[in-house]
């Protein structure tokens, strides 16, 4: 399905969520705790400036809908929140997003910085059927949530902070009628492309493991299962880290019979359905790993959990470039990659385009932090939107091999940070913030995931592992700082650069 859009909307700058309080804290006045203290970063910035008691996210479970939670799991599903002196519960997640570190403005978004510039008076047409959404004149307000998401993408972010569109898009992924299900080509494991009546599409990854199962110790990283709950958790973790580089994901309970088997036009997929000896509906599709009768996906009797990820714009409309990660693993049972053998490997990476200029290397280290917190060893490539050249964010796609084990921290994932000893100041400060009790990483992730229809998404051991791994990331930065002559050689001040760009923006 391809969308043809006439690109010509008059420029409208996205509203900036920053306020005077944030500007004050983030370095405009002299002596600001965020940009001052050249010798040592001050912990004063980690205090709570918000005073907000409202919950940012509420449960989307309709009454009586959703998987049943066993008695032993209720402690997992429960949202832990601080209780203020008035006795009311206070959302840590809402307080986090009100913190000044989550109000740092992005640079001005010009026409050239938008992925699409859409004329709201033009029709949105489909290559197979002309469609006017949903009335004669297709104003932006009438676009479905998935199209608004596509139109909002720019050079600096996949979606804005506290995006008012996000709840509607997540709800659509979880509830809209599925009118088509076909297997996605490529990849090593089974994935389906599902289509909605409003022409939106989502990538469905089915449940392969229960929440409490860990990756078998004898599995290689390249033969690990892809987990649906990892995709859900990765989206929320990425947002909590303020990267916002993973497309929205929602959990969903799918009826295999009605929403896959009976409506698929994929003949190869259709041939793989069968009824198990227990009377459950099963299928396995075609792929490189785990697509066989022995590894079939079975419902109970036909209900199957999965993750639904919003698709990015079709590549015919918005080309993406795939980049091989410099720290890609060998994907061999015995051979090691060069970075595993050469401790000075980063020096040659920093001399190689596009890592020799701009913020590409720092963006890759952001991705490294995300992967380490999830335990994802499978980051062999990443993508960017071709329109924006090298000066744009990295897309953090395909996170299904995260959260496979909570009992082991794979330190080799941190190699880019440890070998290059560089990290963005904004990232470092947010990581330090998430290590403090008022904004504890495990607590805010638990609260965010509680809104998903498949909650509990992660078990408590996985949530505790997030805090433990965060401590190891901060320790790695601390070791780099101890070796460096100047703090700015390690902690690169991107905050001051953003403030300077904001000052130059015309009122």
């Amino acid at each position: 399905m391809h969308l043809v859009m006439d690109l010509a909307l008059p420029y409208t700058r996205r509203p900036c969520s920053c306020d005077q309080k944030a500007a004050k804290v983030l370095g405009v006045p002299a002596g600001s705790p965020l940009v001052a203290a050249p010798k040592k970063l001050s912990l004063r910035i980690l205090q709570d400036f918000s005073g907000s008691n409202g919950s940012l996210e509420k449960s989307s479970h309709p009454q009586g809908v959703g998987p049943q939670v066993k008695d032993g799991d209720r402690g997992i599903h429960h949202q832990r929140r601080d209780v203020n002196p008035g006795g009311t519960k206070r959302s840590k997640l809402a307080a986090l997003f009100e913190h000044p570190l989550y109000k740092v403005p992005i640079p001005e978004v010009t026409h050239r910085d938008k992925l699409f510039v859409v004329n709201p008076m033009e029709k949105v047409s489909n290559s197979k059927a002309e469609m006017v959404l949903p009335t004669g004149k297709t104003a932006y307000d009438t676009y479905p949530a998935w199209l608004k998401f596509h139109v909002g993408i720019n050079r600096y972010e996949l979606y804005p902070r506290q995006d008012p569109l996000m709840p509607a898009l997540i709800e659509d992924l979880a509830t809209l009628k599925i009118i088509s299900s076909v297997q996605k080509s490529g990849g090593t494991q089974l994935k389906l492309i599902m289509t909605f009546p409003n022409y939106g599409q989502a990538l469905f990854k089915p449940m392969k493991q229960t929440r409490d199962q860990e990756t078998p110790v004898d599995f290689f990283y390249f033969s690990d299962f892809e987990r649906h709950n990892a995709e859900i958790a990765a989206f929320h973790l990425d947002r909590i880290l303020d990267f916002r580089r993973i497309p929205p994901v929602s959990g969903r309970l799918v009826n295999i019979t009605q929403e896959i088997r009976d409506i698929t036009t994929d003949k190869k997929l259709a041939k793989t359905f069968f009824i198990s000896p227990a009377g459950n509906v099963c299928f396995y599709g075609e792929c490189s790993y785990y697509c066989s009768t022995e590894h079939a996906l079975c419902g109970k009797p036909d209900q199957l959990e999965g993750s639904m990820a919003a698709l990015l714009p079709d590549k015919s409309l918005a080309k993406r470039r795939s980049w091989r990660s410099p720290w890609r693993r060998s994907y061999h049972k015995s051979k090691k990659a060069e970075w595993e053998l050469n401790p000075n490997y980063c020096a040659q990476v920093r001399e190689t385009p596009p890592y020799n200029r701009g913020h590409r290397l720092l963006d890759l280290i952001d991705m490294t932090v995300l992967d380490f917190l999830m335990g994802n060893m499978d980051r062999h490539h990443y993508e960017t939107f071709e329109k924006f050249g090298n000066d744009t964010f990295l897309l953090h796609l395909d996170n299904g091999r995260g959260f496979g084990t909570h009992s082991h921290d794979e330190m080799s994932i941190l190699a880019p940070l440890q070998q290059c000893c560089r990290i963005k100041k904004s990232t470092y400060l947010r990581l330090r913030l998430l290590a403090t009790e008022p904004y504890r990483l495990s607590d805010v992730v638990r609260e965010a995931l509680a809104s998903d229809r498949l909650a509990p998404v992660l078990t408590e051991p996985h949530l505790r592992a997030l805090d433990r791994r965060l401590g190891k990331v901060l320790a790695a930065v601390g070791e780099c700082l101890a070796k460096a002559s100047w703090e700015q050689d390690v902690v690169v001040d991107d905050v001051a650069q953003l403030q300077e760009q904001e000052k130059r923006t015309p009122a």
Side-chain angles (χ1 to χ4, degrees), residues 430-502:
R430 290 187 189 105
L431 293 175
R432 290 175 56 171
L433 181 69
L434 291 165
T436 64
E437 183 56 36
Y439 309 97
R440 184 72 60 192
L441 179 58
S442 59
D443 290 341
V444 293
V445 170
R446 181 188 297 105
E447 184 179 341
L449 294 178
S451 67
D452 192 84
R453 289 176 177 258
L454 299 183
V457 175
L458 294 178
T459 61
E460 283 297 311
H462 278 295
L463 292 168
R464 290 194 295 269
L466 287 172
D467 294 331
R468 183 180 70 241
R469 291 166 184 166
L470 174 57
K472 292 184 178 182
V473 174
L474 293 174
V477 178
E479 291 173 4
C480 289
L481 288 169
K483 294 184 293 185
S485 301
W486 303 96
E487 181 183 281
Q488 56 267 34
D489 292 339
V490 176
V491 181
V492 181
D493 192 358
D494 60 318
V495 177
Q497 296 170 8
L498 288 172
Q499 288 290 337
E500 189 59 34
Q501 288 173 323
E502 183 69 10

Side-chain angles (χ1 to χ4, degrees), residues 28 53 77 81 86 139 194 225 249-250 258 302 343 387 417 420 432 473 484 494:
V28 176
N53 293 326
H77 184 69
R81 297 183 182 182
M194 293 183 164
F225 293 110
V249 183
S250 173
Q258 298 174 3
D302 55 6
K387 176 180 179 179
L417 172 61
C420 298
R432 290 175 56 171
V473 174
D494 60 318

